[in-house]
Amino acid sequence: MPNDPRTDLLNLIATLSFKLGDFTLASGQKSDYYIDCRTTTLHAEGGRLSGLVLYDLIREHIPQAEAVGGLTMGADPLVSNTASASAWALADYAEIVELSSELELEAGSDPAPSLIQGFLVRKAEKSHGTGRRIEGFLKPGAQVVIVDDVCTTGGSTITAIEAAREAGMIVAGVLCLVDREQGGRAHIEAAAAGAPFLSVFTASDVRAAHVAIKKS
């Protein structure tokens, strides 16, 4: 029986993105492991799985969201793949409805999936052109989800939350691919001001999967 996308994604992160050793993190903290999720999220299959998993979380927990965005560049592949996953889901739904009609079958009662647009937050406003800090979707009053690949202290995620709000958008939820369990969750939850913060995996999940794969 094939694995579900979440399990496949965990195994890819554990294989491609997790390393044991002596590392200094961007926060200045020391760690005996390092997780570079971009190795997975920029991988063809890893990107596809990341989009599917995040889109499913949005549909389940934050269905009112119109867009997904985050701070460049850790969020870039997550944003584009999640938006693409929503488009594929809508296309599949439309195909099923059309086939059901052609075969004179009763269509399901599930509502059509919603498209999730994407936006990226620059670390600073660009000094030319429109000078925008947010690229892509930008609609004051829209409910949006902020995403990040790895959350350590939560700094980059909080920067994206603040930028989205400054642009007039409502942060309805925050998603993180891997929570390093080093205090970032509390900081993000405080900044999210009641909006749900969900992590797909914890660093402990990834470490355990890495060790299990090495033993197999």
Side-chain angles (χ1 to χ4, degrees):
M1 183 175 178
N3 287 329
D4 66 285
R6 189 179 183 281
T7 300
D8 289 341
L9 179 58
L10 174 60
N11 289 334
L12 264 184
I13 293 173
T15 301
L16 300 176
S17 297
F18 185 91
K19 298 186 185 310
L20 291 170
D22 183 18
F23 302 98
T24 300
L25 306 178
S27 63
Q29 299 179 38
K30 291 288 188 179
S31 177
D32 67 344
Y33 71 91
Y34 185 67
I35 304 176
D36 181 5
C37 274
R38 283 168 294 190
T39 309
T40 296
T41 59
L42 289 169
H43 179 276
E45 179 64 0
R48 184 186 76 87
L49 291 169
S50 298
L52 286 174
V53 170
L54 292 182
Y55 179 57
D56 284 346
L57 278 176
I58 291 171
R59 291 189 69 182
E60 181 179 355
H61 298 282
I62 320 161
Q64 74 275 21
E66 293 184 53
V68 59
L71 189 69
T72 192
M73 59 183 288
D76 293 18
L78 296 177
V79 168
S80 59
N81 282 302
T82 302
S84 293
S86 76
W88 281 114
L90 183 58
D92 289 344
Y93 177 89
E95 183 177 357
I96 291 171
V97 170
E98 183 178 353
L99 285 172
S100 298
S101 177
E102 290 176 358
L103 297 173
E104 297 183 347
L105 299 174
E106 185 176 346
S109 58
D110 292 338
S114 299
L115 285 177
I116 302 292
Q117 309 299 334
F119 66 92
L120 296 174
V121 178
R122 292 176 177 270
K123 293 180 180 177
E125 290 182 359
K126 62 181 181 180
S127 58
H128 59 281
T130 60
R132 288 175 59 164
R133 189 176 182 193
I134 290 181
E135 299 291 349
F137 179 90
L138 180 55
K139 177 182 168 185
Q143 298 203 45
V144 302
V145 176
I146 301 299
V147 296
D148 209 344
D149 56 358
V150 178
C151 298
T152 304
T153 63
S156 60
T157 308
I158 293 170
T159 297
I161 290 172
E162 292 173 345
R165 286 183 177 149
E166 287 170 7
M169 297 189 285
I170 300 167
V171 176
V174 182
L175 302 180
C176 177
L177 204 54
V178 180
D179 178 6
R180 281 189 61 103
E181 305 168 288
Q182 291 183 269
R185 171 176 286 276
H187 297 153
I188 293 168
E189 287 178 338
F197 170 64
L198 305 170
S199 63
V200 181
F201 309 113
T202 64
S204 298
D205 295 331
V206 178
R207 181 191 284 267
H210 176 82
V211 170
I213 290 169
K214 287 292 185 183
K215 288 181 177 179
S216 62

